[in-house]
Amino acid sequence: MSDSLERSTRTNMLKESVVKKLGEVLDKSADKGWRKLGEIVASDRRFKVSSDDMEMCSLKVLDKEGSPSLMLLRLMGERGCTTGHLIDYLQALGNLEALQCLKTPPLQFVIQPQSVAVICGHNLRLSCHAMGKSTVQYQWFKLREEVPNSSSPELLISPVQLKDAGFYICRVNSGDACEFSQWAQVDVLNVTTSYVPGQSYQSIDGRLKLAIQPQSQRLHVGETLQLECGAVGRPIPRYQWHRNGAPIPNATKRKLMIPQVMQDHQGRYRCEISSSTERMWSNEVNVVIDDIYAIGGGSCELFLNSLPEQLYATDKVALLIGNLSYKNHPQLKAPMVDVYDLTNLLRQLNFKVVSLLDLTESEMRNAVDEFLLLLHKGVYGLLYYAGHGYENYGNSFMVPVDAPNPYHSANCLCVQSILKLMQEKETGLNVFLLDMCRKRNYHDESTPNIVLRVTANIVFGYATCQDAEAFELSSTGLINGVFVKFLKKRLLDDEKITVVLDRVAEDMGQFDATKGKQALEIRSSLSERRALTDPILPGDNADLVHAHSRQWAKAHELPESMCLDFDGGAQIKLGFAAEFSNVLVIYTHIMKKPEDMSFCQAHVTDFSLDLDVDPKEMNRETPEETGIYLLSSSLPQHCLYTRLSSLQKLREDLVFTVRLQGTFAAMEDDPPIIWNKTVNIGKPLIARLDLHRAVRRNSCLQTCMIPHSPSQSPCHSPGPELHHHLHHGSHHAQDYNRLSLQHCYLDLSEHAQGAVGGCGISCYDHLSQCGLEGTYESDGHLSSPGKLSIPIEATDDINELQTVFINSLHLQPQ
């Protein structure tokens, strides 16, 4: 134990963190814990530990946060026990983990970098000092990029510029040991616009110093209010804006922006600036809002309703569902890529996104329920679905992964029913992007009667026209479906949502692989210029907004990374990443190992049976081997990776084992030594919402399901035959009143089959349809349902499509 703490040091002089960690180890050990240690110490007459002392220690379990081990260690220290004595006792005890607590770490941080706010043009200095057994080397990073010429403990940027703001971290190396410091945020203030001659903006000893004061403003209704306040100091100050003496909800940044101000935004504003030890206030300024303004100083006045209206959302929420691993129907590929790409794009537009893969019927209904909980007045709600689906009588149905073959409306979710529930929330915009087939389901003769309110805020973007298929392109790699291939290029455009979809439709119309096969259809009752890029302005009910934000955050809480110390002297880092809201990535990395350990590897195992994890796809050396294709570039290297999907099925906390296998050089002919540690990370991500539960009463179930009588739900096992049916005149479209029908120019005869047979381009069912005060009705010329498979895949001129698609890859590279 040459690398242990000084043997002559009294145990009551050890650092509190060391003693606390040692106490935790001894408290949790059953056969090598504090009781056994007490017996060993009692046998040494130098330190008298009596049975009364042991009883006093045991009573500590009755105290809040009491520890028998800490009590015993304190008694030993008071009676002259040194670190050397304690090491000898622990060696006799055989508790290697406890001995590890007394071992001097190869790297110790003496000074950690601290977050700081500085003035543009001044000097920025960040410090990081560490102690190691050999020469210590430093390297600073700004996020993932190395800072040039920054290999010293002090990072100095002089003069600091606005572009230097961001997050910094320092990597420290000493021999084989490598550690990262804590993150430090740098905020750079530009005070040129409010500079006061002779005023010093330098912070003394890191204390707060006000540098930017807000300015009084006079605005017209409909304009944007912008107030700015700034202080320098270490650490970065916290901000809270107040109006008329009351805190403004969610106004916790240096800059306060309120678009489209109204008369009730008028008042006295000031900002509270605080740190852990200080608090100060900015000047109080007046904001005056005029409801009219004069033109050219004359007597003519224009009221504000003549101004161009800036529309806003009180929040933005999106539910994205991609079903691909069907139990009784053909498997799909594109939904995973489509959901992933749309998730990243919508987050750039400040949407709160819940992205889910492979949901059963009950899980889909519960997911919709949770989605509805995030909606309230003025919220922009967006639902994207990719998977199998169908459309009957103007109503669209999403097919869960556990749907039987054949399926009926009782097994699926009706989109119009979800719209009805969204309307009850008084949302500001309802967008449905339905990436599925819209073929008729002849096994479902139900005629749902869903009465929707007349609202001018509904947009449906269907990946294909009525009674047609939506295609995914066959490829050995990951590739988008046709709809998202073009949608993702336009989604960030600052245009009315229907204009965006119009342009997507035009782009799709030029795609040779599906020309004449698939065309985007748009149905809209939108009367205002609402765009997905509209700013967010929280409404008056701040408590409701906060509650909804907490609800969303529950489904996106990742476990914290952790370092695990094993008895053999190895340290393992356990890290986590989210690929989707219900897909967790776990990776293990060897942080350090003893010099005489020739082989060391850490596996994760013993997962809950709820997750149905394939052991062959766990603990792989590359992310791709375990199915992690979309996140692979952002994960750390030189790890073992495991992908856990279907977190929504998790009923209890996620508990698993980290198994370390090690071989020492002197024992290479012997089997590896195995150490196990049990880890409990609670319920990560979407598992917190318990989507596996039985569907609640008065939930989406009550409005989505349309029960069948036995005569309406014929049980049929589809045969392998293909059935050719024509669509000319097969459906009549009734007047949809306020919904405009655009870009539906396909009228195809297609072959429907129940499975994919090596198709170069295959179709996957996608949701689409808006039944506002209207339905499609059959004219009686439909084929007999007894001869049809469920319309989920199409094969029409497959060889020709394959050739066209291959050629298109050269013409339109992605």
Side-chain angles (χ1 to χ4, degrees):
M1 297 289 293
S2 60
D3 54 351
S4 297
L5 300 173
E6 181 63 38
R7 289 182 64 89
S8 61
T9 304
R10 290 281 188 94
T11 56
N12 55 0
M13 299 298 293
L14 293 173
K15 288 184 178 180
E16 182 180 354
S17 59
V18 173
V19 177
K20 183 178 179 181
K21 180 66 183 299
L22 180 58
E24 292 174 351
V25 172
L26 293 172
D27 279 341
K28 72 179 183 180
S29 179
D31 56 341
K32 298 180 181 180
W34 69 273
R35 287 187 181 276
K36 188 66 176 177
L37 176 62
E39 294 175 7
I40 295 174
V41 177
S43 64
D44 188 339
R45 296 184 178 181
R46 290 176 295 178
F47 312 111
K48 298 177 181 179
V49 176
S50 65
S51 58
D52 289 340
D53 291 332
M54 294 297 290
E55 183 178 354
M56 180 173 62
C57 290
S58 65
L59 292 176
K60 282 295 179 180
V61 298
L62 303 177
D63 297 344
K64 184 179 180 181
E65 300 182 0
S67 168
S69 299
L70 292 181
M71 184 64 188
L72 176 60
L73 293 172
R74 184 171 68 82
L75 290 175
M76 293 167 59
E78 291 174 351
R79 296 170 189 182
C81 181
T82 66
T83 302
H85 296 134
L86 180 57
I87 290 172
D88 295 337
Y89 295 144
L90 293 176
Q91 286 176 335
L93 181 64
N95 193 324
L96 298 181
E97 188 177 359
L99 279 168
Q100 192 70 23
C101 297
L102 299 177
K103 193 173 181 180
T104 304
L107 266 176
Q108 296 185 75
F109 283 98
V110 180
I111 299 177
Q112 291 274 13
Q114 299 291 318
S115 297
V116 62
V118 296
I119 300 297
C120 183
H122 287 205
N123 295 335
L124 166 66
R125 185 185 299 274
L126 296 176
S127 300
C128 177
H129 288 266
M131 296 174 56
K133 295 180 180 179
S134 58
T135 303
V136 179
Q137 298 174 319
Y138 300 86
Q139 177 60 55
W140 288 89
F141 292 78
K142 183 181 180 186
L143 290 179
R144 296 183 178 217
E145 301 294 328
E146 286 189 6
V147 179
N149 304 316
S150 62
S151 55
S152 65
E154 304 284 335
L155 175 63
L156 178 63
I157 300 178
S158 178
V160 66
Q161 304 295 326
L162 293 176
K163 64 181 178 61
D164 296 318
F167 290 86
Y168 292 80
I169 195 170
C170 185
R171 184 185 67 204
V172 181
N173 295 78
S174 178
D176 292 334
C178 174
E179 298 284 351
F180 281 90
S181 71
Q182 67 186 20
W183 285 99
Q185 181 183 1
V186 174
D187 189 14
V188 181
L189 280 63
N190 185 4
V191 299
T192 55
T193 56
S194 57
Y195 177 74
V196 178
Q199 172 70 53
S200 172
Y201 297 104
Q202 187 67 41
S203 173
I204 302 175
D205 296 330
R207 300 190 63 182
L208 294 180
K209 182 73 174 180
L210 196 59
I212 300 176
Q213 290 276 14
Q215 305 295 315
S216 295
Q217 295 190 36
R218 190 182 192 98
L219 302 169
H220 298 295
V221 172
E223 293 182 332
T224 298
L225 169 64
Q226 296 188 58
L227 296 173
E228 182 179 2
C229 176
V232 297
R234 191 185 303 266
I236 289 179
R238 296 185 296 268
Y239 297 89
Q240 175 61 63
W241 287 91
H242 293 248
R243 183 174 69 86
N244 297 333
I248 304 172
N250 299 319
T252 56
K253 298 184 182 299
R254 284 202 303 109
K255 296 180 180 181
L256 173 68
M257 185 179 74
I258 303 178
Q260 196 183 6
V261 293
M262 306 297 290
Q263 279 270 304
D264 55 5
H265 290 124
Q266 181 169 288
R268 305 182 315 277
Y269 288 78
R270 66 173 180 164
C271 187
E272 178 185 9
I273 307 128
S274 62
S275 67
S276 56
T277 58
E278 297 180 85
R279 185 177 73 161
M280 62 194 313
W281 292 85
S282 72
N283 294 339
E284 189 171 74
V285 297
N286 290 319
V287 174
V288 179
I289 310 296
D290 295 328
D291 62 345
I292 55 176
Y293 65 92
I295 295 182
S299 59
C300 177
E301 294 180 333
L302 294 179
F303 288 88
L304 258 293
N305 56 17
S306 65
L307 291 173
E309 185 179 8
Q310 169 62 62
L311 301 174
Y312 60 88
T314 57
D315 203 355
K316 299 179 184 178
V317 182
L319 173 62
L320 278 57
I321 299 176
N323 285 343
L324 53 155
S325 303
Y326 282 87
K327 298 178 181 178
N328 304 305
H329 307 287
Q331 306 282 296
L332 305 173
K333 290 183 180 180
M336 180 174 72
V337 190
D338 292 343
V339 168
Y340 185 83
D341 285 347
L342 291 183
T343 295
N344 292 328
L345 290 171
L346 289 169
R347 284 176 177 162
Q348 293 181 49
L349 296 173
N350 295 318
F351 272 82
K352 293 181 173 71
V353 182
V354 179
S355 58
L356 300 168
L357 297 183
D358 290 333
L359 299 187
T360 64
E361 178 194 340
S362 61
E363 291 165 357
M364 286 182 72
R365 297 191 191 284
N366 286 328
V368 170
D369 281 346
E370 297 293 340
F371 171 61
L372 293 170
L373 290 176
L374 299 175
L375 304 181
H376 53 88
K377 187 174 182 179
V379 172
Y380 286 11
L382 184 147
L383 173 66
Y384 171 81
Y385 170 77
H388 290 313
Y390 69 94
E391 180 177 310
N392 275 11
Y393 304 113
N395 290 286
S396 303
F397 295 89
M398 302 180 287
V399 180
V401 294
D402 63 341
N405 190 354
Y407 45 69
H408 319 107
S409 58
N411 313 122
C412 306
L413 273 72
C414 177
V415 179
Q416 283 67 34
S417 296
I418 299 172
L419 172 58
K420 179 179 174 65
L421 295 173
M422 292 174 68
Q423 288 183 322
E424 294 174 1
K425 300 285 186 174
E426 299 184 10
T427 45
L429 176 65
N430 301 308
V431 178
F432 293 84
L433 302 175
L434 305 173
D435 209 351
M436 64 178 218
C437 290
R438 299 173 65 192
K439 300 291 289 184
R440 174 85 166 85
N441 182 2
Y442 296 101
H443 296 283
D444 182 11
E445 291 300 327
S446 61
T447 54
N449 182 23
I450 301 169
V451 180
L452 297 170
R453 293 164 55 186
V454 178
T455 55
N457 61 357
I458 303 169
V459 177
F460 275 81
Y462 299 103
T464 191
C465 291
Q466 180 200 356
D467 209 20
E469 291 85 9
F471 293 95
E472 69 174 14
L473 303 172
S474 178
S475 173
T476 55
L478 297 176
I479 191 170
N480 290 114
V482 175
F483 180 30
V484 174
K485 170 183 171 68
F486 297 100
L487 176 64
K488 69 181 185 181
K489 299 176 182 179
R490 300 285 189 180
L491 197 65
L492 299 182
D493 292 353
D494 186 17
E495 298 284 357
K496 185 178 178 180
I497 178 60
T498 49
V499 173
V500 171
L501 293 176
D502 273 331
R503 292 175 178 172
V504 174
E506 293 170 3
D507 295 341
M508 286 178 60
Q510 302 302 313
F511 187 43
D512 290 337
T514 54
K515 186 177 291 186
K517 304 291 181 182
Q518 177 180 346
L520 177 65
E521 179 179 325
I522 305 167
R523 294 178 181 266
S524 170
S525 66
L526 191 61
S527 62
E528 299 173 305
R529 190 198 174 279
R530 293 198 177 268
L532 299 184
T533 55
D534 287 344
I536 295 176
L537 179 62
D540 297 330
N541 196 336
D543 292 338
L544 183 64
V545 174
H546 289 162
H548 290 170
S549 295
R550 288 194 300 269
Q551 179 76 7
W552 172 83
K554 282 173 60 178
H556 296 81
E557 194 169 314
L558 268 177
E560 292 186 3
S561 298
M562 59 185 75
C563 287
L564 304 177
D565 294 312
F566 285 82
D567 289 345
Q571 185 182 72
I572 308 303
K573 180 179 180 180
L574 194 63
F576 307 93
E579 193 172 28
F580 298 92
S581 299
N582 64 338
V583 178
L584 177 71
V585 175
I586 302 178
Y587 54 90
T588 57
H589 178 67
I590 308 295
M591 298 293 292
K592 63 180 180 180
K593 65 181 181 69
E595 293 182 358
D596 59 342
M597 184 177 282
S598 58
F599 169 78
C600 184
Q601 197 170 61
H603 290 227
V604 291
T605 185
D606 300 334
F607 288 101
S608 168
L609 296 178
D610 292 339
L611 297 179
D612 191 25
V613 183
D614 185 353
K616 296 179 182 178
E617 297 183 355
M618 294 166 50
N619 304 297
R620 311 303 294 179
E621 294 184 355
T622 64
E624 290 80 7
E625 289 180 89
T626 190
I628 307 167
Y629 300 102
L630 303 172
L631 270 184
S632 58
S633 61
S634 59
L635 292 173
Q637 297 181 339
H638 311 301
C639 300
L640 293 183
Y641 308 90
T642 298
R643 183 178 188 265
L644 302 180
S645 57
S646 301
L647 290 180
Q648 73 277 3
K649 300 183 184 301
L650 196 63
R651 297 177 179 273
E652 306 292 340
D653 286 357
L654 182 53
V655 180
F656 57 93
T657 301
V658 179
R659 180 163 298 159
L660 177 69
Q661 298 183 30
T663 301
F664 291 90
M667 306 167 59
E668 287 189 349
D669 295 333
D670 297 335
I673 302 174
I674 296 177
W675 297 270
N676 291 324
K677 275 188 179 292
T678 300
V679 175
N680 184 339
I681 60 172
K683 287 188 174 182
L685 302 176
I686 202 70
R688 290 175 175 266
L689 301 186
D690 295 330
L691 298 187
H692 57 78
R693 66 182 182 269
V695 181
R696 298 182 302 220
R697 286 190 172 187
N698 301 322
S699 72
C700 171
L701 172 68
Q702 304 302 315
T703 52
C704 287
M705 284 182 57
I706 300 123
H708 299 269
S709 68
S711 62
Q712 291 174 314
S713 301
C715 183
H716 171 63
S717 298
E721 64 179 353
L722 300 180
H723 183 84
H724 181 257
H725 57 285
L726 299 177
H727 300 302
H728 47 269
S730 62
H731 294 289
H732 292 300
Q734 291 186 347
D735 179 17
Y736 270 77
N737 294 337
R738 297 158 188 79
L739 293 183
S740 61
L741 177 61
Q742 305 172 45
H743 305 299
C744 187
Y745 55 84
L746 290 188
D747 186 12
L748 305 175
S749 297
E750 296 284 343
H751 296 283
Q753 68 174 17
V756 180
C759 304
I761 183 168
S762 65
C763 150
Y764 64 91
D765 303 6
H766 281 14
L767 216 56
S768 51
Q769 178 55 21
C770 176
L772 281 187
E773 301 185 8
T775 60
Y776 290 129
E777 294 183 351
S778 168
D779 65 355
H781 293 291
L782 300 177
S783 302
S784 168
K787 297 182 180 179
L788 280 176
S789 298
I790 295 177
I792 47 184
E793 301 294 339
T795 56
D796 184 13
D797 301 326
I798 293 302
N799 295 332
E800 177 187 350
L801 285 174
Q802 174 77 355
T803 302
V804 171
F805 171 60
I806 292 174
N807 292 336
S808 74
L809 293 180
H810 300 288
L811 296 174
Q812 302 182 40
Q814 287 186 272

